[in-house]
Amino acid sequence: MDIAVDKVSEFILRARALDVKEGLSDPDSGSNPIDDGARDVLVDGPDDATEEELREMVAGLNDDERAELVAILFVGRGDMEPEEFPDAVRLAREREAAGTRTADYLLGIPNVGDLLDEGLAALGLSSDV
């Protein structure tokens, strides 16, 4: 694979951090982390850069890496078997060539981090996360 397992692992960590976020439940609380038991860490706010960081991470990948990241997802989701990985890469390239933005696609999938982790495992690799 062209994409380093470390890059996939970093994406998994950031995607999981994004998955646990929830919308603002009390946007005018004025509380601080000590008062609220640091619960605001799991609240998605306008200053939260997690999604933007994921988008920048995908934008920083080359064409082969983006295609392989999506192919790992296909394997992890069970759409394709590990031995079909080259076909999964081809399908990912076709999807992007048809105008599907990789970051939008990945961020639109619930539990994308878990699916990528499962894809790596199916391919005999470990994400160490």
Side-chain angles (χ1 to χ4, degrees), residues 2-128:
D2 287 328
I3 191 166
V5 173
D6 290 346
K7 287 184 181 181
V8 180
S9 295
E10 181 67 22
F11 189 92
I12 291 169
L13 283 173
R14 292 177 188 265
R16 286 179 174 163
L18 186 61
D19 281 345
V20 299
K21 298 281 185 174
E22 58 184 50
L24 293 174
S25 58
D26 186 11
D28 298 322
S29 71
S31 67
N32 63 48
I34 294 171
D35 293 340
D36 67 13
R39 285 184 296 273
D40 285 344
V41 111
L42 297 177
V43 176
D44 191 18
D47 296 331
D48 186 12
T50 307
E51 182 176 342
E52 186 58 35
E53 290 169 354
L54 278 169
R55 290 182 181 284
E56 288 174 6
M57 183 179 233
V58 172
L61 298 175
N62 65 38
D63 294 344
D64 292 334
E65 291 172 325
R66 281 193 314 274
E68 289 179 355
L69 186 63
V70 173
I72 293 167
L73 169 77
F74 291 160
V75 172
R77 195 167 55 187
D79 296 335
M80 303 189 93
E81 297 298 322
E83 57 272 5
E84 296 175 300
F85 188 74
D87 293 330
V89 172
R90 182 186 46 74
L91 181 62
R93 284 190 178 119
E94 290 172 1
R95 179 182 295 272
E96 191 172 59
T100 301
R101 297 185 59 200
T102 301
D104 291 340
Y105 177 68
L106 291 171
L107 293 173
I109 298 171
N111 300 320
V112 67
D114 294 337
L115 294 172
L116 287 168
D117 197 23
E118 290 174 24
L120 284 176
L123 292 165
L125 302 168
S126 174
S127 67
D128 297 323

